[in-house]
Amino acid sequence: MAEPSTPTVTWAARMELLKDSAQQRLLHALMPTAAMEQLIADGKAEALGQFEGSPVHYMNRWWRPDGLGWVALDEAASAELDLHAERYRAATASTASVRPPTETDAEQRQTTPAHPEAGAA
């Protein structure tokens, strides 16, 4: 009686499974605040904005602060936040190009008369 053949699993496939397993454990664990701050500083994670409680994008997921650390949102919530983040970035980009008037602008508005007085040299 012949034994059924077992599929050969390559090292690359095993490493991919281990990577996925480790990623899933990380996504379900509370990340310490200091660790997330370091990821942001290193450019590996990106905060949506410069405001308190801003969500952070890391490992294809959005994370939110939760007391002692950061928790990853589930896939559905992350996908929804992707849409809101895109709109937020577009809105902030459009308002960033509109700069408030500066003192120099105000001084320049104190213009000279449009029509010089007759006989002025």
Side-chain angles (χ1 to χ4, degrees):
M1 180 154 101
E3 290 186 35
S5 63
T6 57
T8 304
V9 178
T10 65
W11 277 105
R14 288 181 184 175
M15 294 306 291
E16 193 64 31
L17 289 173
L18 285 173
K19 181 182 124 191
D20 290 345
S21 175
Q23 184 175 8
Q24 288 304 314
R25 282 194 310 274
L26 180 62
L27 290 173
H28 291 94
L30 182 70
M31 181 180 296
T33 301
M36 184 61 82
E37 289 171 354
Q38 188 63 50
L39 288 167
I40 293 169
D42 292 345
K44 295 178 180 177
E46 181 183 358
L48 176 60
Q50 297 298 320
F51 54 89
E52 187 175 336
S54 172
V56 171
H57 197 258
Y58 175 63
M59 291 181 62
N60 297 320
R61 288 281 177 93
W62 285 99
W63 297 66
R64 65 173 176 78
D66 186 21
L68 301 174
W70 291 80
V71 293
L73 302 180
D74 63 25
E75 286 183 46
S78 283
E80 186 173 333
L81 188 51
D82 280 336
L83 297 174
H84 293 296
E86 186 177 323
R87 289 184 5 218
Y88 172 79
R89 288 184 181 121
T92 55
S94 68
T95 58
S97 63
V98 178
R99 63 177 178 80
T102 63
E103 287 182 30
T104 306
D105 294 336
E107 289 170 5
Q108 289 176 353
R109 277 191 296 253
Q110 294 175 355
T111 60
T112 56
H115 302 287
E117 295 181 33

